[in-house]
Amino acid sequence: MARRRGNNEGTIYPRPNGTYRAQISLDGHRLSYNGQTRKACQDWLHKTRGRIDDGMTYEGAKTSLEDFFGDWLTMKSTIVRHHTERQYRQIARDYILPQLGSKELLQLRPDHIQLLYSQHIEAGVSPRTVQLVHSVLRGALNHAVRLGLLTRNPTYAVVPPKPTPKEMKTLDENQIQTFLIVAQSEQPEFLPLYHLALTTGMRLGELLGLSWNDLDWDRQTLSVKRQLTRIRGKGLVLTPPKTKASLRTIKLGPTTWSILKEHRKSQYKFPSCRDPDWQEKDLVFTQESGKPYGPRQVQKAFKRILIAASLQDIRFHDLRHTAATHMIARRVDIPTVKRRLGHSKASTTLDTYAHVVPGVEDQAVAIMDEITTPVALPADLTAPKLHLTAPKLHPESDA
């Protein structure tokens, strides 16, 4: 016979198979739990009553993680960039929902999530990807807490793996010269783009989104106002830069301006653009038709130059690292490097490139050695003290 509880506290009763069932009412519906012991059911009732007191709803109790993720991703699509939303969907589809999607939100425990991470690591998924899984899942469940579907976020009790930082690859001075010489010979149409990447540290999307109207020929500066991105179903689209700090103005040198002027002259030889939309954009780096190069086109061309120049295999993004590394190695101050790269915080620049700041460790050694070296005292303070006594007076001297 069921043991009833007053004030809607729930009931516990034995089942024919020797286990127990606990039930409690919520919003006119009944929540149930099957436990191996009466104690397990009592614990479940205690936790559930606490969650109800904290605002848990029946909808939240019965919503599956997969259903919730669908609504959350729809909401995120209105406030994040298309690329970010696509990444969220891919992470959820491939790494979260196959294992956890059928679980109700309230069933989701920290040990479920920790096991998910462990399984991914054992399957060869990179720690960096598992960290992204953790970030996406934490963000989604934070939203569930805000909506009152959960009273706590179970991801905060989980420890994600620590990613191994990628080795940064850069070109030295000789390699830069070799790269540009080969590019001038093999791919003259891309030389201005490569040169600008190396002198400014601009991202590839920012370079491809650059318009001639963004160049100030009097002040010899360019302004980063947009980036070119490929969006599935839409093709190449101009979008705002990555962050607010990415909106910046960069000073250019005489050599860079000369290269850009020659590049501008060569564009006049191109036939009229067949796409009026792109013609209005007046982009700096375009194909002969006037349409922009796609990021993949540039990356493939870049790889061919590396092979032709017998250089190490690096990413196009490593040209950005190369620019930052050489600026810092020549003692350009961190705030200036930060502004040119478009970093939001100087700490980001320091964390990324602190290892190339010249002479930092030698300077630290010299300072600490000076601090801990005893100060030499003047000789007159270190000489033995003389104990002088007054001369004795003879009696006859008193006469």
Side-chain angles (χ1 to χ4, degrees):
M1 180 176 180
R3 182 165 71 86
R4 299 191 178 277
R5 297 169 179 261
N7 299 322
N8 197 33
E9 291 187 348
T11 60
I12 299 176
Y13 57 88
R15 304 176 70 202
N17 62 1
T19 62
Y20 292 82
R21 170 168 288 181
Q23 292 184 329
I24 191 170
S25 296
L26 174 62
D27 299 340
H29 301 276
R30 183 172 294 176
L31 299 177
S32 300
Y33 170 80
N34 296 327
Q36 294 297 317
T37 64
R38 180 180 291 275
K39 175 67 167 56
C41 288
Q42 289 172 339
D43 290 343
W44 178 83
L45 281 175
H46 177 73
K47 291 179 181 178
T48 304
R49 288 196 303 271
R51 289 170 175 169
I52 292 174
D53 291 340
D54 288 337
M56 182 185 75
T57 64
Y58 179 78
E59 180 185 357
K62 303 307 290 183
T63 299
S64 71
L65 184 64
E66 184 168 13
D67 289 341
F68 174 76
F69 246 97
D71 294 338
W72 180 73
L73 288 169
T74 299
M75 180 275 295
K76 294 298 285 186
S77 68
T78 65
I79 59 176
V80 300
R81 299 179 187 279
H82 180 84
H83 172 77
T84 304
E85 181 216 346
R86 187 175 60 185
Q87 185 182 49
Y88 286 170
R89 290 187 182 277
Q90 184 261 329
I91 289 290
R93 182 189 68 237
D94 296 343
Y95 299 104
I96 299 176
L97 299 182
Q99 294 89 339
L100 302 179
S102 61
K103 288 189 178 296
E104 295 174 355
L105 287 179
L106 282 181
Q107 293 178 335
L108 197 58
R109 303 195 309 262
D111 59 300
H112 295 146
I113 300 171
Q114 194 73 68
L115 178 61
L116 173 71
Y117 297 170
S118 299
Q119 289 173 338
H120 283 322
I121 292 296
E122 290 173 2
V125 179
S126 71
R128 171 58 181 162
T129 298
V130 178
Q131 268 217 335
L132 289 174
V133 172
H134 179 71
S135 178
V136 171
L137 189 56
R138 181 179 58 192
L141 296 182
N142 272 340
H143 188 61
V145 172
R146 288 191 292 269
L147 294 178
L149 302 179
L150 284 176
T151 58
R152 63 179 179 83
N153 187 335
T155 62
Y156 284 99
V158 179
V159 180
K162 186 176 181 180
T164 303
K166 288 185 178 180
E167 180 184 0
M168 187 183 300
K169 296 181 179 180
T170 60
L171 302 177
D172 61 28
E173 288 186 58
N174 291 332
Q175 290 172 329
I176 290 174
Q177 294 296 321
T178 299
F179 172 79
L180 292 176
I181 290 171
V182 174
Q184 186 175 23
S185 171
E186 302 290 331
Q187 297 176 2
E189 70 276 17
F190 285 119
L191 177 64
L193 187 146
Y194 296 147
H195 186 91
L196 203 57
L198 283 165
T199 54
T200 65
M202 290 170 64
R203 302 174 180 93
L204 177 55
E206 295 171 343
L207 290 163
L208 296 179
L210 189 65
S211 166
W212 287 110
N213 293 327
D214 300 328
L215 275 64
D216 188 324
W217 298 91
D218 294 327
R219 293 186 175 87
Q220 294 194 341
T221 61
L222 67 79
S223 297
V224 179
K225 299 179 179 179
R226 69 194 72 79
Q227 62 181 358
L228 186 74
T229 307
R230 183 176 293 280
I231 297 179
R232 183 177 299 176
K234 296 182 179 180
L236 294 173
V237 178
L238 292 171
T239 62
K242 184 177 180 182
T243 64
K244 186 179 293 186
S246 297
L247 293 165
R248 61 198 189 276
T249 299
I250 303 174
K251 183 77 173 177
L252 303 179
T255 302
T256 305
W257 275 112
S258 296
I259 292 175
L260 287 174
K261 286 178 181 178
E262 290 301 316
H263 178 60
R264 181 59 166 162
K265 291 177 183 178
S266 68
Q267 274 198 336
Y268 288 134
K269 301 176 184 177
F270 293 169
S272 299
C273 178
R274 293 188 292 271
D275 188 333
D277 290 336
W278 289 115
Q279 189 175 25
E280 291 176 3
K281 304 301 181 184
D282 198 23
L283 299 181
V284 174
F285 301 111
T286 65
Q287 304 175 58
E288 289 191 4
S289 65
K291 293 182 179 180
Y293 288 107
R296 290 182 181 177
Q297 284 178 280
V298 177
Q299 290 164 348
K300 288 180 180 179
F302 173 69
K303 293 291 186 179
R304 291 196 297 269
I305 289 297
L306 293 177
I307 295 172
S310 300
L311 295 173
Q312 61 175 326
D313 183 27
I314 63 174
R315 305 166 303 164
F316 187 93
H317 194 73
D318 287 321
L319 296 184
R320 176 174 168 85
H321 293 320
T322 297
T325 297
H326 284 283
M327 281 190 285
I328 293 174
R330 282 154 183 76
R331 301 185 184 278
V332 176
D333 61 275
I334 294 298
T336 299
V337 177
K338 164 191 168 295
R339 287 193 298 271
R340 288 182 71 86
L341 295 179
H343 284 162
S344 299
K345 300 177 181 178
S347 59
T348 302
T349 312
L350 279 171
D351 289 344
T352 308
Y353 302 107
H355 65 288
V356 298
V357 178
V360 168
E361 189 167 357
D362 291 339
Q363 185 180 8
V365 169
I367 290 172
M368 297 312 297
D369 199 50
E370 180 181 349
I371 290 174
T372 56
T373 300
V375 177
L377 297 176
D380 59 341
L381 295 180
T382 58
K385 292 184 179 179
L386 298 176
H387 298 281
L388 301 177
T389 57
K392 290 183 179 180
L393 296 176
H394 297 285
E396 57 273 19
S397 65
D398 291 336

